[in-house]
Amino acid sequence: MIYVEVIFTVHPSDRTAAASYLLQVAPKMQALPGHRGYDVLLDASRDDAVTLLHQWDDMATLDAYRTGPIFAQVGGTLRPMMTGAPTTSVYDATLIS
C-alpha cells in the first residue's frame, strides 16, 4: 500500500476554507480506482498548516490520480491559498498485522 502525506501552509484565515474544500472533494477522490483512504488533518499547534493523507493500492493508481483531472482541479483551487510550496512524502508500506 502507498501512503501519501501532503503538508501545506495557508494564511490562517484560509485554513478553514482549504480544509472544507478538501472535505467537499473527498467523495470524488474516494471513488477513484485504487484509492483506499483520505484524511484531512489540522494541527492544533499551528493555525496555518493543513495535512492531507492518502492511501492508495499501488504507485500506478497514485500516478493515475496525479495525472488526472481531480488532481488538477484540487491544485487549481488550493494553490492560490497556499503561502508556500507543499511538502509531499510518499511511503511504500507493508501491513504487518
Side-chain angles (χ1 to χ4, degrees), residues 6 8 15-16 18-26 37-43 49-54:
V6 181
F8 62 93
R15 188 166 91 149
T16 298
S20 294
Y21 174 73
L22 287 169
L23 293 173
Q24 175 189 347
V25 76
Y38 181 93
D39 293 296
V40 178
L41 307 174
L42 301 178
D43 187 336
V50 178
T51 301
L52 174 61
L53 301 175
H54 284 276

Side-chain angles (χ1 to χ4, degrees), residues 8-74:
F8 62 93
T9 56
V10 295
H11 190 278
S13 64
D14 288 331
R15 188 166 91 149
T16 298
S20 294
Y21 174 73
L22 287 169
L23 293 173
Q24 175 189 347
V25 76
K28 289 181 181 180
M29 291 207 193
Q30 291 165 336
L32 292 171
H35 195 269
R36 294 286 188 116
Y38 181 93
D39 293 296
V40 178
L41 307 174
L42 301 178
D43 187 336
S45 67
R46 293 184 60 188
D47 63 359
D48 67 339
V50 178
T51 301
L52 174 61
L53 301 175
H54 284 276
Q55 298 167 1
W56 296 89
D57 281 340
D58 51 38
M59 283 302 297
T61 55
L62 172 59
D63 289 340
Y65 160 68
R66 286 176 161 174
T67 59
I70 295 174
F71 183 83
Q73 174 190 349
V74 170

